[in-house]
Amino acid sequence: EAGVVQSPRYKIIEKKQPVAFWCNPISGHNTLYWYLQNLGQGPELLIRYENEEAVDDSQLPKDRFSAERLKGVDSTLKIQPAELGDSAVYLCASSLTRNEQFFGPGTRLTVL
Amino acid sequence: DQQVKQNSPSLSVQEGRISILNCDYTNSMFDYFLWYKKYPAEGPTFLISISSIKDKNEDGRFTVFLNKSAKHLSLHIVPSQPGDSAVYFCAASGDSNYQLIWGAGTKLIIKP
């Protein structure tokens, strides 16, 4: 069974530029999550989808971040414009049940 | 306000001995707890979980203990192996919520 796929793995951009991350969850997993992880910290939830509906986006900075999950499968997370403080690892996860989330390898974003 | 705390940033253990990783939480509504393991440049992978109706769950070399009165859980790895060297995250959820609240992680180093 294929795991959660994320691309790109690494991205370096200059501040004020836009950036997008893509995630393909495990087949059949209705729930998809986007997390942000800073060095030395645990993941912090940005947004959770149930199928194509964003059911929890309370932690998403909506002035610059946006996400979509068209057709309830793949998802894209966008930052526009990026700021220096957005440098972090962006993790995508999916789950079938409440209890266990499966993570992709993450995208390491560096904003210069 | 950290609801899930892992107070040891790192832990060094001799190969073959027991590794004990600790986690404390403050929210009494948490009813499900998970441990994840993370290698560098990879996403976290699920290790073991425990429901609040139990006080112990065992899976091979890994055992998680839950002390609800103390709001404390621990992960025991016996015997420790070199491949166990990784960052271990404790996470909690509650109130039938899919949201996981994560600790900051403990880096476990297994010495040969």
Side-chain angles (χ1 to χ4, degrees), chain B residues 37-88:
Chain B
K37 176 180 180 179
K38 185 182 183 305
Y39 292 118
E42 295 183 13
T45 55
F46 172 75
L47 197 55
I48 193 169
S49 63
I50 188 167
S51 165
S52 60
I53 63 174
K54 295 185 175 181
D55 54 17
K56 177 182 174 181
N57 189 26
E58 191 172 353
D59 183 3
R61 296 186 298 112
F62 302 91
T63 303
V64 56
F65 296 92
L66 176 62
N67 182 334
K68 290 188 289 295
S69 61
K71 294 191 177 67
H72 175 83
L73 62 155
S74 60
L75 175 68
H76 292 210
I77 306 173
V78 182
S80 299
Q81 299 175 353
D84 296 331
S85 294
V87 177
Y88 289 78

Side-chain angles (χ1 to χ4, degrees), chain A residues 1-6 24-27 94 102-105:
Chain A
E1 178 185 273
V4 176
V5 179
Q6 288 188 249
N24 181 243
I26 293 174
S27 177
S94 68
F102 295 81
F103 284 81

Side-chain angles (χ1 to χ4, degrees), chain A residues 21 27 36 43 50 56 64 69 74 81 84 92 94 109 112:
Chain A
F21 314 124
S27 177
L36 176 154
E50 292 292 339
D56 184 357
R64 297 184 300 107
R69 190 184 184 196
D74 295 5
L84 294 176
C92 178
S94 68
L109 174 67
L112 302 176

Side-chain angles (χ1 to χ4, degrees), chain A residues 9 33 37 42 98-99 101 104, chain B residues 31 34 36 41 43 89 93 98:
Chain A
R9 291 295 310 276
Y33 315 75
Q37 185 174 23
R98 166 195 169 196
N99 299 327
Q101 298 178 20
Chain B
D31 63 358
L34 306 90
Y36 280 78
F89 290 96
S93 70
Y98 278 65

Side-chain angles (χ1 to χ4, degrees), chain A residues 48-66:
Chain A
R48 172 169 68 91
Y49 281 93
E50 292 292 339
N51 298 304
E52 63 272 8
E53 182 183 359
V55 296
D56 184 357
D57 63 355
S58 57
Q59 303 302 313
L60 190 71
K62 298 181 184 63
D63 57 335
R64 297 184 300 107
F65 286 65
S66 64

Side-chain angles (χ1 to χ4, degrees), chain B residues 100-111:
Chain B
L100 290 180
I101 306 299
W102 296 72
T106 296
K107 183 176 183 178
L108 177 64
I109 301 165
I110 305 301
K111 300 179 293 185

